[in-house]
Amino acid sequence: MARRTTKIRNERRAKIVIATLYALSGLAVVAWLVIRESFPPIGLWLAFAVAFAFFDWRSVEVNDRMMMSPTIMVGLTAAVAFGPGHAALGVATMAALGAVSARDVKERRLFQPVANFGQLVVTAAGSSLVVEFFIRVALRGEPTFYWAWIALGSAVAAIVHASVNYAFVAFAVRTVFGQTVKPWSHLGELLPSYVTMGFVGGLLGATLVQTRVVLPLVFVVFIIGYHAFASFGQLREAHAATLRGFVKALEAKDLYTRGHTERVAEFSVLCAQHMGFTGTRLERIEWAALIHDVGKLAVPRDLIRKPGKLTSEEYTELQRHAHVVEDILAEVEFLRPMVEIASAHHSNYDGSGYGGVGHTNGEEPPLEASILAVADAFDAMTSTRSYRMALSQSYAFSELRRNAGGQFHPEVVEHFIAAIDETKRRYGSPFLNDPEEARRMAERGVESRG
Amino acid sequence: MGDPKVSIKSPLVPSVGAIISISIAVLLYPHSAAGPLALGIWAVLLAESGLVKVPAGSGNRLSLAFIIGAAMPILLIDGTRPDLASTGFVYAVGLLILGIARVVRGDELEHVHADVMRLGVGLGVYAITYATIAEILVTGGGLAWVEAPWDRLIAFVGAGAVWFIIEAGLWAIMTTRERGLSWRYLWLLGLSDWMVMLSMMATGALFGFSWEKLHIWAVLVAALPYGFAHVAFFRYLEARRTYGQTIRALSRIPEVAGLALEGHSDRTSSLAVETAQDLGLTPSEVTDVRYAALMHDIGRITLNEPGILRRGFTDEDISRWGAEIVAESPYLTKVSGLVARQHEPYRRPGEQRDPSLPTASKIIKAASAYDHATMELGFSPLEGLEVLHRGAAYDYDPDVVVAVRRVLERRGVV
């Protein structure tokens, strides 16, 4: 307990230091710019500030969990349009508007906006100074190369912007939270889009200097693209919500499997994250977990909930039903890879067991399926079924380890256990370590109810 | 099949289009200020862009020709602003090349003809409106294009709006004749493409304005913002298709589990959608009908509870359970409401009818009853329709029944 409070206090002190440091450097840069430069025409500045604020408040998800916001482009367009002698001051004051995000207001955060103010101002001033330098070069040089110099300059400025911004954020995160942001790899993924946006931003700015009419046109095209991306994101959410809702509604009728799907999805995602899955792969495993039991839902309940072991005919019947439903879902192109994972999770690591759409005839099942299999088995052991009471977490862990290499993928088992341990939560019964005992207790329960 | 389709099999009709465009070109060329080479290049560009399809939600065939077409009067060609004559010349020659290219590519003659004619009418109206607005803005300038950029922007906005409305209208009329759907429905559907059209036209204008100063760099300036919008549309449409497929797949689960008649939800949905389109519901209402009709029997999945079978159940129970399942998704509350009321009769004997009963629910009730009669009870289509007629004004809305009959007649089954 004591250690916890000191940590929080340390965190707070680090936060104050970082926020003050960043904000002061931001103010210093603004002061320096005020002496050195003059403010751009206020009407032009306002037009860009509105566009900047609009895109800054509404960044859209472009690719699975990757947010994109063309504010960099707006900033560079503005820098070129303002021209040398105005750009850095104009853009830096614009960037200051982006310091407060919608989330800061909602959660009443103070540290983020203050620290962001400083780092955004410094970043914007830095990249605008690069633009100014290149414009001067372009104006001095051959008129034929004018556009090339502008385009090159704003592309370089975009890279500078991204790197400086990244360095500021990484430093703050390391100092305050003691975490290292994944070094530069994420930036590498985003770099092409930064360069493209810088490139276009510079050209647009240079066009604007000549004809102002293009401003509303560019804005219209971007807003439409934005709107379409937002609708796309909404539709994708609706898609997930529909499937989730369907599974949930069907499960709710069955006392024993209620919540099973959601829990397996949660465990699978935890484990996959621990193994370093991101983006589409992570999303895919979550979806696979959501549909892994849909097949069973279409089977008459008396078969599923029947106490005791199923006869072999009943078992075949159950599998046949599950496969028919899987085949239907696999007709949806988008769901096909998920269904394959869901289906292959019945296969064992050593290649035995049965699979459906993603048939694995004696081959090692895909990693995703192994994760799902472990998560499914863990939840089955730690929750109460009609024929047995819930077992303890430590029993479940030891059982997973015992079957590693045979039924389960050994590495996945270790990652899974580590991931569950990290959550500091305990699943299952606190004491039941013996499946025979659990079964006897369930039978007694059934008898007394019957 | 009873309905004679409007067909233009005779080679005479497409040749008329070709003759019209050649004569326009011959008439206009002597008056145009720009040289033949420059105009020819733009005509080829227009034709090329006409070959590139653009994703549009309505199913309307839109192409990048809207970009080049919109840019034409704004461009600077051969050092002069193209006048009405040169613009018309480029349009006529461009469309001629486009038509020939599409025929060579092996597209159906009727489609090529209809598309090119529609594009031609739209482009012509666009150019003439642009010139008219330009003349109003700069009085006494004759039909010469205005110079001031903001005036040109205003002319572009006005002309673009007229072009878009005409395009959507022409598409709706042509598709009505081809597929026999309600004109109102199709027109609204065509108008729902406004964002795609606007993004293309604005890109065209952007290209036109920046071409003057940037030349080849203008391609980049115009292409990248448009590329962003294009990718967004594409992903949106893909997600919408996937969503529809998933709902359809879920709706089939009770059927494969043996709890509902195989294929019932699919057939009910297609009949209900066609009926809704015939009645002139709006595109978003038709989408709701499609989803609600697919999911109308989803409540039957509950029937694998042994207890429920023992206790017994009514049609109202099925609707209620189905609505509960659908309502789990926060995006489908409207659809859930339709599913909940799908078994309510149009009017109970001796009572006033309930005006709040949605048309969509009434359509689903009739479509489901028809499919039940023909597929489960083994009635012929005519007998199935008779079931609806007998129940009209009490069980079923008479207007809906009439619409169902029109749809079945169009399908040629009665």
Side-chain angles (χ1 to χ4, degrees), chain B residues 35-60:
Chain B
L37 185 68
L39 292 182
I41 291 174
W42 285 108
V44 171
L45 270 177
L46 181 69
E48 290 265 319
S49 61
L51 290 173
V52 183
K53 263 188 72 176
V54 167
S58 65
N60 188 353

Side-chain angles (χ1 to χ4, degrees), chain A residues 240-354:
Chain A
T242 304
L243 200 62
R244 251 173 216 280
F246 187 81
V247 172
K248 204 174 123 196
L250 294 178
E251 267 185 352
K253 306 238 153 45
D254 189 332
L255 203 64
Y256 290 114
T257 54
R258 188 181 290 171
H260 169 69
T261 304
E262 284 290 340
R263 284 195 303 271
V264 171
E266 194 196 329
F267 295 151
S268 306
V269 169
L270 277 176
C271 177
Q273 272 173 336
H274 199 267
M275 294 173 74
F277 281 42
T278 49
T280 318
R281 274 190 99 185
L282 194 63
E283 190 186 50
R284 202 168 272 178
I285 197 157
E286 188 179 356
W287 280 75
L290 283 178
I291 55 181
H292 87 279
D293 249 1
V294 173
K296 241 178 240 167
L297 296 169
V299 180
R301 285 295 146 84
D302 42 355
L303 217 61
I304 296 183
R305 219 194 287 160
K306 190 184 158 204
K309 291 240 173 208
L310 294 175
T311 65
S312 67
E313 290 97 65
E314 285 170 335
Y315 192 64
T316 334
E317 177 70 9
L318 196 119
Q319 282 181 25
R320 197 184 60 81
H321 265 281
H323 285 199
V324 171
V325 174
E326 276 168 4
D327 288 343
I328 287 179
L329 289 179
E331 279 170 24
V332 183
E333 253 168 80
F334 175 80
L335 291 179
R336 202 177 163 77
M338 290 80 156
V339 175
E340 274 170 14
I341 297 169
S343 192
H345 93 279
H346 295 293
S347 311
N348 295 338
Y349 174 64
D350 58 13
S352 60
Y354 73 94

Side-chain angles (χ1 to χ4, degrees), chain B residues 8-278:
Chain B
I8 15 176
K9 285 277 186 285
S10 134
L12 187 73
V13 184
S15 342
V16 169
I19 289 164
I20 291 175
S21 54
I22 291 172
S23 39
I24 290 178
V26 170
L27 276 175
L28 289 180
Y29 178 66
H31 303 283
S32 66
L37 185 68
L39 292 182
I41 291 174
W42 285 108
V44 171
L45 270 177
L46 181 69
E48 290 265 319
S49 61
L51 290 173
V52 183
K53 263 188 72 176
V54 167
S58 65
N60 188 353
R61 280 183 287 266
L62 296 174
S63 70
L64 291 185
F66 282 92
I67 295 182
I68 302 292
M72 272 312 294
I74 302 167
L75 287 165
L76 191 72
I77 299 178
D78 246 9
T80 57
R81 195 77 56 208
D83 50 6
L84 198 53
S86 351
T87 310
F89 176 78
V90 170
Y91 286 166
V93 176
L95 290 178
L96 188 64
I97 302 173
L98 172 63
I100 294 169
R102 282 193 55 182
V103 171
V104 169
R105 198 171 66 174
D107 289 0
E108 243 180 282
L109 214 53
E110 313 175 23
H111 284 164
V112 173
H113 184 255
D115 288 355
V116 171
M117 282 299 243
R118 202 172 73 222
L119 193 57
V121 172
L123 285 169
V125 171
Y126 172 72
I128 291 166
T129 319
Y130 188 99
T132 315
I133 299 178
E135 201 178 41
I136 295 167
L137 290 173
V138 185
T139 40
L143 271 187
W145 307 114
V146 276
E147 258 312 306
W150 290 103
D151 287 347
R152 284 192 282 149
L153 186 69
I154 294 169
F156 155 75
V157 170
V162 174
W163 183 10
F164 169 56
I165 290 167
I166 286 191
E167 161 72 23
L170 282 179
W171 176 73
I173 291 170
M174 285 177 173
T175 317
T176 305
R177 296 185 66 179
E178 203 177 297
R179 286 168 47 196
L181 300 176
S182 138
W183 190 84
R184 175 173 176 262
Y185 167 74
L186 284 170
W187 200 61
L188 289 173
L189 192 63
L191 285 183
S192 69
D193 280 341
W194 69 271
M195 284 208 297
V196 181
M197 291 281 277
L198 181 58
S199 70
M200 282 201 284
M201 286 182 182
T203 302
L206 179 62
F207 176 66
F209 279 116
S210 40
W211 171 257
E212 219 173 304
K213 311 282 198 260
L214 279 82
H215 298 288
I216 202 68
W217 293 92
V219 178
L220 273 179
V221 167
L224 284 161
Y226 177 72
F228 172 67
H230 187 95
V231 169
F233 288 136
F234 195 75
R235 300 200 78 168
Y236 171 72
L237 288 180
E238 215 178 43
R240 203 176 67 170
R241 204 173 45 122
T242 301
Y243 192 33
Q245 284 177 342
T246 302
I247 289 192
R248 185 161 168 264
L250 292 180
S251 77
R252 284 175 59 197
I253 290 182
E255 291 169 11
V256 297
L259 301 167
L261 187 63
E262 184 80 45
H264 174 65
S265 59
D266 240 5
R267 287 189 303 264
T268 304
S269 162
S270 73
L271 182 58
V273 164
E274 280 179 56
T275 309
Q277 286 169 339
D278 184 279

